[in-house]
């Protein structure tokens, strides 16, 4: 190899297609993980804010533990641990999606809680004082205000999960990183392939951030339809 | 004023000539509330007759807001009874209620009939002025959207912000926001209105306008409990002034009574704020 490294574009050109197939798989994984996170995160957040202390303590315990466990360890527990200990064998994709879903739920719980708690207490009080039930007050007053506050951090969680999906290759999910490794074993060009993967992820992240900005502006315009 | 139909203790209707003959529309007895070691309300009794305007005054921290919030159970007192239009909503009743659901139904019933105006307006920022007024009508009172829209427009007209139906709160002045909040509270025609320092957060030049709306409302015969630091307004509009200090009602009576208050605490307060 020369002192001046020659970036070999042709490798990318030649293997673009399988890389992108790997990317699509990553995105699918991330979306499934995110859907799990959106649903269970909300449940966890509501539990975390429950009036019943034991429920609150349980939820915050789960959130703290999950957030402190590295994703790769969670993934290995799910994929190898469950199979070895309990005989529960799942497909690599399933294990990956669940691992992302568990991590994402813990983070989304905090995102939701942040959004819900940022709605001033006077808003709930005014809604309660006019005779709205808690459910209706939540739906018409609290949620619409919290929604615009959670858009940006929700996109951050999505990006985090997308990056998290890059370690799924360690259990054999054929994602973009997996493809990059496989190809570079033959071509000896890991730098090109991983750089390409990195650039693709940066582009996706920027696009997501832009979409988030648009949604946020839409919401804050005050699309307050309710009746 | 005129003929009034009042529910009697037995629940039958009786027709009387004056509001004074009615049993009170609201009767608070033995209201207590503590936060940790701090006794914020110490055994407060207060009764309010239909059509009466009661103005509560007293030093900051004396428990006026807490008492007001106990009336519509935004704050649940530790003890006491809250009898509103013949039904007790106090904490003793809460223990009897079997389920959260029954509790919530009862709360909703009470709050649908008691309007409240807050110091900081608490308009919903994601809704227009009109939508703020409509929300309670459609979602708490089951009024059809079209009818709610008509009522909302009418109420906004009444308080002088009829042209702001489609404006968002952030584009309104403090005075306009508080007028919208008043329209929102009175639109469902509650039997009792609570005002908690409705003008304290306003720029000085906007205070008079909001006080004028409250005066107008009082003149319609609305039963009102008003917490305020506006003493001129208090003594002019009140049927009865209630002076609170340290979580208790110290003395009460018609405005004239406060020209010569009985208690040292009252005299000290009035002289401190430059009255009497
Ligand atoms: N939610 C609360 N938690 C703790 N203390 C409170 C709470 N609400 C009110 N207090 C205290 O109760 C006292 C009375 O407050 P408040 O009713 O707001 O008085 P006022 O309206 O007469 O100024 C104050 O000392 C206040 O700090
Ligand atoms: Mg107060």
């Amino acid at each position: 190899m020369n002192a001046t490294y020659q970036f070999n574009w042709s490798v990318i050109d030649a293997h673009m297609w399988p890389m992108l197939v790997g990317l699509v798989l990553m995105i699918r994984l991330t979306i499934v993980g995110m859907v799990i996170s959106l649903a269970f995160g909300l449940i966890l957040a509501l539990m975390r804010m429950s009036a019943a202390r034991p429920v609150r303590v349980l939820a915050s315990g789960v959130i703290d533990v999950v957030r402190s466990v590295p994703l790769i360890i969670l993934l290995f527990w799910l994929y190898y641990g469950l199979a070895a200990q309990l005989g529960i064998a799942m497909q690599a994709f399933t294990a990956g999606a669940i691992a992302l879903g568990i991590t994402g739920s813990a983070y989304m719980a905090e995102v939701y809680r942040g959004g819900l708690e940022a709605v001033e207490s006077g808003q709930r009080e005014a809604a309660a004082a006019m005779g709205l039930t808690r459910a209706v007050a939540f739906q018409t007053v609290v949620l619409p205000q919290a929604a615009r506050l959670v858009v940006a951090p929700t996109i951050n969680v999505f990006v985090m999960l997308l990056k998290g999906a890059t370690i799924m290759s360690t259990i054999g999910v054929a994602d973009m990183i997996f493809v990059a490794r496989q190809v570079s074993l033959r071509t000896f060009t890991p730098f090109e392939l991983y750089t390409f993967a990195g650039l693709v992820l940066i582009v996706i992240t920027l696009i997501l951030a832009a979409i988030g900005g648009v949604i946020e502006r839409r919401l804050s315009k005050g699309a307050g339809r309710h009746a | 004023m005129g003929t009034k139909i009042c529910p009697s203790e037995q629940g039958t209707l009786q027709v009387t000539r004056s509001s004074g003959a009615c049993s009170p529309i609201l009767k608070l007895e033995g209201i207590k509330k503590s936060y940790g070691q701090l006794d914020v309300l110490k055994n407060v009794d207060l009764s309010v007759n239909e059509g009466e305007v009661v103005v509560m005054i007293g030093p900051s921290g004396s428990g006026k807001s807490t008492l007001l919030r106990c009336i519509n159970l935004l704050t649940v007192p530790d003890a006491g009874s809250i009898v509103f239009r013949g039904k007790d909503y106090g904490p003793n009743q809460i223990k009897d209620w079997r389920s959260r659901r029954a509790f919530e139904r009862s709360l909703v019933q009470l709050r649908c009939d008691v309007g409240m105006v807050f110091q900081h307006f608490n308009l919903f920022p994601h809704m227009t002025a009109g939508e703020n007024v409509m929300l309670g009508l459609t979602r708490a009172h089951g009024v059809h959207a079209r009818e709610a829209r008509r009522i909302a427009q009418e109420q906004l007209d009444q308080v002088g912000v009829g042209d702001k139906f489609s404006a968002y709160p952030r584009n309104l002045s403090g005075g306009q926001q508080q007028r919208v909040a008043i329209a929102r509270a009175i639109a469902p025609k509650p039997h009792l209105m609570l005002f908690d320092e409705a003008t304290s957060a306003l720029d000085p030049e906007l205070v008079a306008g909001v006080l004028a709306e409250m005066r107008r409302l009082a003149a319609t015969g609305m039963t009102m409990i008003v917490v305020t630091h506006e003493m001129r307004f208090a003594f002019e509009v009140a049927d009865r002034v209630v002076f609170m200090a340290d979580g208790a009602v110290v003395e009460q009576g018609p405005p004239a009574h406060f020209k010569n208050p009985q208690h040292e605490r009252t005299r000290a307060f009035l002289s401190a704020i430059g009255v009497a």
Side-chain angles (χ1 to χ4, degrees):
Chain A
M1 198 180 289
N2 298 339
T4 51
Y5 185 81
Q6 288 289 305
F7 199 96
N8 186 357
W9 284 108
S10 66
V11 179
I12 293 168
D13 228 22
H15 301 281
M16 171 92 82
W17 188 243
M19 290 280 283
L20 290 183
V21 171
L23 174 68
V24 169
L25 188 68
M26 272 178 79
I27 292 174
R28 271 175 49 206
L29 251 179
T30 307
I31 288 174
V32 175
M34 195 66 201
V35 168
I36 296 172
S37 307
L38 289 170
F40 282 86
L42 185 57
I43 294 170
L44 265 182
L46 293 175
M47 286 172 67
R48 177 74 183 73
M49 297 165 75
S50 158
R53 202 179 129 77
V55 176
R56 233 166 33 227
V57 170
L58 175 73
S60 83
V62 168
I63 291 167
D64 289 347
V65 168
V66 169
R67 290 201 305 169
S68 62
V69 174
L71 182 59
I72 192 158
I73 293 180
L74 193 57
L75 188 63
F76 278 33
W77 278 344
L78 282 168
Y79 190 61
Y80 299 115
L82 286 184
Q85 300 298 318
L86 303 173
I88 301 172
M90 49 180 118
Q91 299 211 320
F93 184 92
T94 311
I98 293 176
L100 291 178
I102 290 174
T103 306
S105 296
Y107 281 93
M108 278 311 299
E110 292 297 273
V111 168
Y112 285 127
R113 183 164 73 100
L116 292 172
E117 285 182 350
V119 177
E120 279 180 54
S121 62
Q123 294 287 307
R124 281 187 185 79
E125 288 181 354
M130 63 168 58
L132 301 181
T133 63
R134 277 163 50 104
V136 172
F138 186 77
Q139 177 211 331
T140 59
V141 174
V142 179
L143 211 52
Q145 293 185 61
R148 104 185 76 161
L149 298 171
V150 304
V151 172
T154 298
I155 286 173
N156 287 342
V157 171
F158 189 89
V159 169
M160 190 189 81
L161 294 189
L162 186 62
K163 289 185 198 155
T166 58
I167 65 163
M168 297 306 156
S169 57
T170 58
I171 60 167
V173 175
D175 67 3
M176 189 165 51
I177 304 302
F178 186 88
V179 174
R181 185 160 60 236
Q182 293 294 321
V183 172
S184 61
L185 286 177
R186 283 187 282 111
T187 60
F188 306 106
T189 53
F191 183 67
E192 282 81 354
L193 293 165
Y194 285 114
T195 300
F196 175 68
L199 288 174
V200 168
L201 289 179
I202 288 171
V203 168
I204 292 176
T205 304
L206 291 177
I207 291 172
L208 286 173
I211 292 173
V214 171
I215 297 175
E216 223 169 10
R217 268 193 303 280
R218 279 269 169 80
L219 286 173
S220 68
K221 278 245 171 65
R225 307 267 108 222
H226 65 91
Chain B
M1 192 184 90
T3 303
K4 281 212 160 132
I5 300 175
C6 302
S8 74
E9 312 276 80
Q10 291 77 32
T12 56
L13 291 178
Q14 61 190 57
V15 180
T16 55
R17 289 297 300 171
S18 82
S19 61
C22 294
S23 60
I25 189 171
L26 175 73
K27 195 169 168 76
L28 305 177
E29 264 177 336
I31 300 292
K32 291 183 185 161
K33 180 69 190 178
S34 308
Y35 289 109
Q37 301 284 59
L38 184 69
D39 296 331
V40 177
L41 295 176
K42 306 166 185 165
N43 213 5
V44 175
D45 296 341
L46 183 73
S47 89
V48 178
N49 289 323
E50 193 155 358
E52 197 176 18
V53 177
V54 172
V55 174
M56 300 207 314
I57 59 173
S60 179
S62 56
K64 305 179 299 293
S65 295
T66 307
L67 185 63
L68 218 55
R69 296 163 54 87
C70 281
I71 293 170
N72 64 358
L73 291 172
L74 285 183
T75 297
V76 179
D78 301 327
S81 67
I82 302 163
V83 180
F84 177 67
R85 304 188 78 215
K87 178 169 175 185
D88 190 354
Y89 295 90
N92 299 329
Q93 308 304 311
I94 294 172
K95 277 186 212 113
D96 293 342
W97 289 332
R98 291 284 175 272
S99 64
R100 264 207 89 73
R101 203 154 246 232
F103 173 57
E104 189 153 81
R105 250 198 314 271
S106 189
L107 268 186
V108 164
Q109 183 193 4
L110 171 69
R111 290 167 177 171
C112 278
D113 209 8
V114 178
M116 188 168 199
V117 174
F118 301 86
Q119 181 175 353
H120 296 287
F121 331 135
N122 300 3
L123 291 182
F124 306 129
H126 58 299
M127 295 181 188
T128 64
E131 288 167 344
N132 265 273
V133 181
M134 288 171 66
L135 181 66
L137 294 168
T138 55
R139 300 306 300 267
H141 295 265
V143 177
H144 193 274
R146 182 185 297 272
E147 172 68 358
R149 183 170 294 274
R150 188 191 64 72
I151 296 173
Q153 184 63 63
E154 180 183 283
Q155 292 299 331
L156 290 173
D157 287 340
Q158 287 269 310
V159 295
V161 285
D163 56 331
K164 301 295 181 190
F165 190 99
S166 302
Y168 284 94
R170 67 174 167 278
N171 297 325
L172 300 177
S173 73
Q176 290 169 331
Q177 288 188 52
Q178 195 61 299
R179 288 153 187 265
V180 173
I182 292 173
R184 178 175 75 173
I186 60 181
K189 306 213 179 308
H191 280 83
L192 172 65
M193 280 290 295
L194 310 174
F195 290 87
D196 191 0
E197 297 198 31
T199 59
S200 294
L202 295 177
D203 292 337
E205 73 273 19
L206 301 176
V207 170
V210 170
L211 290 181
E213 291 310 326
M214 292 167 66
R215 210 176 270 123
R216 189 181 60 74
L217 192 59
T220 66
M222 175 67 80
T223 312
M224 296 165 54
I225 305 178
V226 180
V227 172
T228 185
H229 290 298
E230 298 288 334
M231 288 303 148
R232 258 191 41 194
F233 171 80
F235 289 117
E236 176 198 318
V237 173
D239 294 313
R240 178 158 46 112
V241 176
V242 174
F243 173 67
M244 273 187 81
D246 299 322
V249 172
V250 175
E251 80 182 280
Q252 55 180 308
H257 169 88
F258 284 81
K259 290 204 164 58
N260 188 14
Q262 300 303 296
H263 290 263
E264 185 47 45
R265 192 81 185 72
T266 316
R267 272 197 287 273
F269 173 73
L270 290 176
S271 73
I273 59 168
V275 184

